[in-house]
Amino acid sequence: MQTIAQMNPSPLSKRLFEELERRQRKNPRYSLRAMARNLAISPAMLSLVFRGHRRFSEKEHRRLEAYLASATNADHGRPPNTRLPADPNYRRPILTQGQE
């Protein structure tokens, strides 16, 4: 199996792979799955990008560039705006006995 250095990756995928390696040096249990979760993409897609079989769309590219910038500056786990905030108006229905 080829390494990322042998595959002629895009500059963004190379930077993401370097970020993955950096985080794995800090925490050996940090995985591709953890990075994919932080990026809000599937682990399969991230693997395909690292292997050069897929490229990011323009929208994904901009979002991931922002993630890398924030990870470099703040070194925190989650990229900005990857999860929607909870709906403050949502109320869980109250079930009475006999309802399910």
Side-chain angles (χ1 to χ4, degrees):
M1 187 161 142
Q2 293 180 327
T3 64
I4 192 89
Q6 298 167 325
M7 293 183 205
N8 191 19
S10 71
L12 176 61
S13 63
K14 187 174 180 180
R15 287 180 54 211
L16 283 171
F17 191 77
E18 289 167 355
E19 179 67 15
L20 175 64
E21 288 180 325
R22 186 184 71 77
R23 288 174 184 246
Q24 286 177 332
R25 280 192 300 273
K26 286 177 73 173
N27 177 7
R29 295 185 67 183
Y30 190 79
S31 64
L32 183 135
R33 285 183 180 201
M35 178 175 236
R37 183 177 53 245
N38 290 342
L39 296 172
I41 59 177
S42 75
M45 186 173 109
L46 187 58
S47 179
L48 288 172
V49 168
F50 283 162
R51 288 184 285 147
H53 295 289
R54 187 186 185 288
R55 294 206 182 259
F56 291 115
S57 69
E58 188 62 35
K59 183 179 177 182
E60 291 167 330
H61 195 277
R62 286 191 304 270
R63 187 174 59 82
L64 296 174
E65 283 289 346
Y67 169 78
L68 286 173
S70 69
T72 303
N73 294 335
D75 195 40
H76 52 76
R78 294 212 184 276
N81 301 324
T82 57
R83 302 202 187 257
L84 296 174
D87 183 2
N89 297 320
Y90 176 77
R91 300 284 186 254
R92 176 180 273 169
I94 299 173
L95 299 178
T96 60
Q97 192 170 4
Q99 287 182 317
E100 293 186 41

